[in-house]
Amino acid sequence: MSQALLNIGVKAARRAGNIIVRGLQNLDNLQIEQKGQNDFASQIDRNAERAIIGVVREAYPDHAVLGEESGADGDGDVQWIIDPLDGTTNFLHGFPQFAVSIAVEVKKRGVAGVVYDPMRQELFTAVKGEGAQLDGKRIRVTQRRGLPGSLLATGFPYRSFDEWADRYWDMLRAVSERAAGIRRPGSAALDMAYIAAGRVDGFWEIGLSPWDTAAGEILVREAGGLISDLHGGEEWRDRKHIVAGGPKVFRELLKVLRPLARQVTSVG
């Protein structure tokens, strides 16, 4: 069943990706809504989400859906968690780093995930117990032995920047002293997909929602990586902060971040 769910997820992601790519040709005329501080949505986000839900509902009319733009709909053991355009700010500026993120959970356990980059046409997929793939080829996290020499990804806590900026700068400074480089591309879904593919060694971010990370969680785990909140626990969705990476980089990154995260509980 998980493979069948993934197939529908891939179909939905590609359909949304086509909408996003066409939308790039008309950026100046898009209707843009500001949902919160530095948090935007466009008609492309909404159109892409409707397309995804349409594909899902056609195949599985009884499944529950949690979408970034439309919220929760339905109730049941199977839920689709959808971010139709992760990296909206990048998209609105024509900066080609954004993705479609779709995950499927059964009884709140991830069983399939898709992250699709429509600009590069790269398709990251994972099925629980069957590994992670990029365009049909198996991928694995890096086996780097620690932070020295590592390339990391992160994201600024822009939704609550005033509240968390000082704490985040402390983290950024501490990690920068140990890693070879840090990148802030602007799409958490792609950051986690890149961990799974071995393109970056580790990742952390504050202020994420379930749709930002649900597909990435499955990809990272199935590619052999580890995930926790900044305290080393399993409550990253409730606390809205996350650390992920290859096993040794993850442990060393968490060791650096955890003392600086003691006052970080959750981010609204």
Short mmCIF file of all heavy atoms in Angstrom, two decimals, residues 124-127 129-134 138-143 192-198 216-227 245-247:
data_model
loop_
_atom_site.label_atom_id
_atom_site.label_comp_id
_atom_site.label_asym_id
_atom_site.label_seq_id
_atom_site.Cartn_x
_atom_site.Cartn_y
_atom_site.Cartn_z
N PHE A 124 12.74 13.51 -5.15
CA PHE A 124 13.21 12.78 -3.97
C PHE A 124 12.03 12.01 -3.39
O PHE A 124 10.97 12.60 -3.11
CB PHE A 124 13.75 13.75 -2.92
CG PHE A 124 14.88 14.63 -3.38
CD1 PHE A 124 14.62 15.82 -4.04
CD2 PHE A 124 16.20 14.26 -3.14
CE1 PHE A 124 15.65 16.65 -4.45
CE2 PHE A 124 17.24 15.09 -3.56
CZ PHE A 124 16.96 16.27 -4.21
N THR A 125 12.19 10.71 -3.18
CA THR A 125 11.10 9.89 -2.68
C THR A 125 11.59 8.92 -1.62
O THR A 125 12.77 8.56 -1.59
CB THR A 125 10.44 9.08 -3.81
OG1 THR A 125 11.43 8.21 -4.41
CG2 THR A 125 9.84 9.99 -4.87
N ALA A 126 10.67 8.51 -0.77
CA ALA A 126 10.99 7.49 0.24
C ALA A 126 9.73 6.75 0.63
O ALA A 126 8.64 7.32 0.70
CB ALA A 126 11.62 8.14 1.47
N VAL A 127 9.90 5.47 0.89
CA VAL A 127 8.85 4.61 1.44
C VAL A 127 9.42 3.95 2.69
O VAL A 127 10.56 3.46 2.67
CB VAL A 127 8.41 3.54 0.42
CG1 VAL A 127 7.47 2.53 1.07
CG2 VAL A 127 7.73 4.19 -0.78
N GLY A 129 10.82 1.70 5.27
CA GLY A 129 11.38 0.36 5.19
C GLY A 129 12.00 0.00 3.86
O GLY A 129 12.57 -1.08 3.70
N GLU A 130 11.90 0.92 2.87
CA GLU A 130 12.41 0.62 1.53
C GLU A 130 13.48 1.59 1.06
O GLU A 130 13.95 1.50 -0.07
CB GLU A 130 11.25 0.58 0.53
CG GLU A 130 10.23 -0.50 0.83
CD GLU A 130 9.12 -0.55 -0.19
OE1 GLU A 130 9.29 0.00 -1.29
OE2 GLU A 130 8.07 -1.16 0.12
N GLY A 131 13.90 2.52 1.92
CA GLY A 131 14.96 3.44 1.57
C GLY A 131 14.47 4.69 0.87
O GLY A 131 13.28 4.87 0.62
N ALA A 132 15.42 5.56 0.55
CA ALA A 132 15.14 6.83 -0.13
C ALA A 132 15.81 6.84 -1.49
O ALA A 132 16.85 6.20 -1.69
CB ALA A 132 15.65 8.00 0.71
N GLN A 133 15.19 7.59 -2.42
CA GLN A 133 15.70 7.63 -3.78
C GLN A 133 15.68 9.05 -4.34
O GLN A 133 14.86 9.88 -3.92
CB GLN A 133 14.87 6.73 -4.71
CG GLN A 133 14.92 5.25 -4.36
CD GLN A 133 14.20 4.40 -5.39
OE1 GLN A 133 13.31 4.86 -6.09
NE2 GLN A 133 14.62 3.14 -5.49
N LEU A 134 16.55 9.31 -5.28
CA LEU A 134 16.53 10.52 -6.08
C LEU A 134 16.44 10.08 -7.53
O LEU A 134 17.35 9.41 -8.04
CB LEU A 134 17.79 11.36 -5.85
CG LEU A 134 18.04 12.51 -6.84
CD1 LEU A 134 16.85 13.46 -6.91
CD2 LEU A 134 19.32 13.25 -6.49
N ARG A 138 19.04 4.97 -5.44
CA ARG A 138 19.17 4.96 -3.98
C ARG A 138 20.10 6.07 -3.50
O ARG A 138 21.15 6.31 -4.10
CB ARG A 138 19.70 3.60 -3.52
CG ARG A 138 19.77 3.42 -2.01
CD ARG A 138 18.39 3.26 -1.40
NE ARG A 138 18.44 3.06 0.03
CZ ARG A 138 18.43 1.85 0.61
NH1 ARG A 138 18.40 0.75 -0.14
NH2 ARG A 138 18.46 1.73 1.92
N ILE A 139 19.71 6.74 -2.43
CA ILE A 139 20.54 7.79 -1.84
C ILE A 139 20.76 7.49 -0.36
O ILE A 139 19.94 6.82 0.29
CB ILE A 139 19.92 9.19 -2.00
CG1 ILE A 139 18.46 9.22 -1.49
CG2 ILE A 139 20.01 9.65 -3.45
CD1 ILE A 139 17.82 10.58 -1.55
N ARG A 140 21.89 8.02 0.17
CA ARG A 140 22.23 7.82 1.57
C ARG A 140 22.82 9.11 2.13
O ARG A 140 23.42 9.91 1.40
CB ARG A 140 23.28 6.72 1.73
CG ARG A 140 22.82 5.34 1.29
CD ARG A 140 21.83 4.74 2.24
NE ARG A 140 22.43 4.44 3.55
CZ ARG A 140 21.75 3.98 4.59
NH1 ARG A 140 20.45 3.79 4.51
NH2 ARG A 140 22.37 3.73 5.73
N VAL A 141 22.65 9.32 3.42
CA VAL A 141 23.29 10.45 4.09
C VAL A 141 24.80 10.24 4.09
O VAL A 141 25.29 9.13 3.91
CB VAL A 141 22.79 10.60 5.54
CG1 VAL A 141 21.29 10.86 5.57
CG2 VAL A 141 23.15 9.38 6.38
N THR A 142 25.54 11.34 4.30
CA THR A 142 27.00 11.23 4.36
C THR A 142 27.43 10.54 5.65
O THR A 142 26.70 10.51 6.64
CB THR A 142 27.65 12.61 4.30
OG1 THR A 142 27.30 13.36 5.46
CG2 THR A 142 27.23 13.36 3.06
N GLN A 143 28.62 10.01 5.63
CA GLN A 143 29.19 9.36 6.81
C GLN A 143 30.34 10.19 7.39
O GLN A 143 31.25 9.64 8.02
CB GLN A 143 29.68 7.97 6.43
CG GLN A 143 28.57 7.04 5.95
CD GLN A 143 27.47 6.86 6.98
OE1 GLN A 143 27.74 6.58 8.16
NE2 GLN A 143 26.21 7.02 6.56
N MET A 192 16.27 19.16 3.81
CA MET A 192 16.23 17.80 4.33
C MET A 192 16.41 16.76 3.22
O MET A 192 17.02 15.72 3.43
CB MET A 192 14.94 17.59 5.11
CG MET A 192 14.85 18.50 6.34
SD MET A 192 13.41 18.24 7.38
CE MET A 192 13.87 16.71 8.21
N ALA A 193 15.88 17.07 2.04
CA ALA A 193 16.11 16.17 0.91
C ALA A 193 17.60 16.12 0.57
O ALA A 193 18.13 15.06 0.22
CB ALA A 193 15.31 16.64 -0.30
N TYR A 194 18.27 17.25 0.69
CA TYR A 194 19.71 17.30 0.41
C TYR A 194 20.52 16.53 1.45
O TYR A 194 21.57 15.98 1.13
CB TYR A 194 20.18 18.74 0.34
CG TYR A 194 19.87 19.45 -0.97
CD1 TYR A 194 18.95 18.92 -1.88
CD2 TYR A 194 20.49 20.65 -1.30
CE1 TYR A 194 18.67 19.57 -3.07
CE2 TYR A 194 20.21 21.30 -2.49
CZ TYR A 194 19.30 20.76 -3.37
OH TYR A 194 19.02 21.40 -4.56
N ILE A 195 20.04 16.51 2.69
CA ILE A 195 20.68 15.64 3.69
C ILE A 195 20.58 14.19 3.23
O ILE A 195 21.56 13.45 3.23
CB ILE A 195 20.04 15.80 5.07
CG1 ILE A 195 20.34 17.17 5.66
CG2 ILE A 195 20.54 14.71 6.03
CD1 ILE A 195 19.59 17.44 6.94
N ALA A 196 19.37 13.79 2.84
CA ALA A 196 19.16 12.41 2.41
C ALA A 196 20.05 12.05 1.22
O ALA A 196 20.53 10.92 1.11
CB ALA A 196 17.68 12.20 2.05
N ALA A 197 20.28 13.02 0.35
CA ALA A 197 21.07 12.77 -0.86
C ALA A 197 22.57 12.94 -0.63
O ALA A 197 23.36 12.76 -1.56
CB ALA A 197 20.61 13.70 -1.98
N GLY A 198 22.97 13.33 0.59
CA GLY A 198 24.38 13.50 0.89
C GLY A 198 24.97 14.80 0.37
O GLY A 198 26.19 14.95 0.33
N GLY A 216 10.40 15.45 4.49
CA GLY A 216 11.84 15.41 4.75
C GLY A 216 12.21 14.44 5.84
O GLY A 216 13.26 13.79 5.78
N GLU A 217 11.36 14.33 6.86
CA GLU A 217 11.62 13.39 7.95
C GLU A 217 11.75 11.97 7.41
O GLU A 217 12.67 11.23 7.79
CB GLU A 217 10.48 13.44 8.97
CG GLU A 217 10.40 14.73 9.78
CD GLU A 217 9.12 14.79 10.60
OE1 GLU A 217 8.52 13.72 10.83
OE2 GLU A 217 8.74 15.90 11.00
N ILE A 218 10.83 11.59 6.54
CA ILE A 218 10.85 10.23 5.99
C ILE A 218 12.09 10.03 5.12
O ILE A 218 12.77 8.99 5.21
CB ILE A 218 9.56 9.97 5.18
CG1 ILE A 218 8.32 10.22 6.04
CG2 ILE A 218 9.55 8.56 4.62
CD1 ILE A 218 7.03 10.27 5.25
N LEU A 219 12.39 11.03 4.30
CA LEU A 219 13.58 10.93 3.45
C LEU A 219 14.85 10.74 4.28
O LEU A 219 15.67 9.86 3.98
CB LEU A 219 13.70 12.19 2.60
CG LEU A 219 12.76 12.32 1.41
CD1 LEU A 219 12.76 13.76 0.89
CD2 LEU A 219 13.17 11.37 0.29
N VAL A 220 15.03 11.57 5.30
CA VAL A 220 16.25 11.50 6.10
C VAL A 220 16.36 10.15 6.81
O VAL A 220 17.42 9.51 6.80
CB VAL A 220 16.30 12.66 7.11
CG1 VAL A 220 17.44 12.46 8.11
CG2 VAL A 220 16.46 13.99 6.39
N ARG A 221 15.29 9.71 7.41
CA ARG A 221 15.33 8.43 8.15
C ARG A 221 15.63 7.28 7.20
O ARG A 221 16.43 6.39 7.52
CB ARG A 221 14.01 8.21 8.88
CG ARG A 221 13.81 9.12 10.08
CD ARG A 221 12.63 8.64 10.89
NE ARG A 221 12.28 9.52 11.98
CZ ARG A 221 12.92 9.57 13.15
NH1 ARG A 221 13.97 8.80 13.36
NH2 ARG A 221 12.53 10.40 14.09
N GLU A 222 14.96 7.26 6.06
CA GLU A 222 15.15 6.16 5.12
C GLU A 222 16.52 6.19 4.45
O GLU A 222 16.98 5.18 3.92
CB GLU A 222 14.04 6.15 4.07
CG GLU A 222 12.69 5.71 4.62
CD GLU A 222 12.72 4.29 5.17
OE1 GLU A 222 13.30 3.41 4.50
OE2 GLU A 222 12.19 4.06 6.28
N ALA A 223 17.16 7.36 4.49
CA ALA A 223 18.52 7.46 3.94
C ALA A 223 19.58 7.22 5.00
O ALA A 223 20.78 7.38 4.73
CB ALA A 223 18.72 8.83 3.30
N GLY A 224 19.16 6.84 6.21
CA GLY A 224 20.11 6.50 7.26
C GLY A 224 20.46 7.62 8.21
O GLY A 224 21.39 7.49 9.02
N GLY A 225 19.73 8.74 8.14
CA GLY A 225 20.01 9.87 9.00
C GLY A 225 19.25 9.84 10.30
O GLY A 225 18.39 8.99 10.53
N LEU A 226 19.56 10.80 11.17
CA LEU A 226 18.92 10.94 12.48
C LEU A 226 18.26 12.30 12.59
O LEU A 226 18.70 13.28 11.97
CB LEU A 226 19.95 10.77 13.60
CG LEU A 226 20.69 9.43 13.66
CD1 LEU A 226 21.74 9.47 14.77
CD2 LEU A 226 19.72 8.28 13.87
N ILE A 227 17.19 12.37 13.41
CA ILE A 227 16.42 13.60 13.59
C ILE A 227 16.04 13.73 15.06
O ILE A 227 15.71 12.73 15.71
CB ILE A 227 15.12 13.58 12.76
CG1 ILE A 227 15.43 13.40 11.27
CG2 ILE A 227 14.32 14.87 12.96
CD1 ILE A 227 14.18 13.20 10.42
N GLY A 245 20.67 15.06 10.34
CA GLY A 245 21.94 14.88 9.63
C GLY A 245 22.39 13.44 9.60
O GLY A 245 21.72 12.53 10.11
N GLY A 246 23.53 13.22 8.98
CA GLY A 246 24.18 11.93 9.09
C GLY A 246 24.52 11.65 10.54
O GLY A 246 24.69 12.59 11.33
N PRO A 247 24.61 10.40 10.96
CA PRO A 247 24.68 10.06 12.39
C PRO A 247 25.74 10.81 13.17
O PRO A 247 25.45 11.38 14.23
CB PRO A 247 24.96 8.55 12.37
CG PRO A 247 24.32 8.07 11.10
CD PRO A 247 24.54 9.18 10.12
#
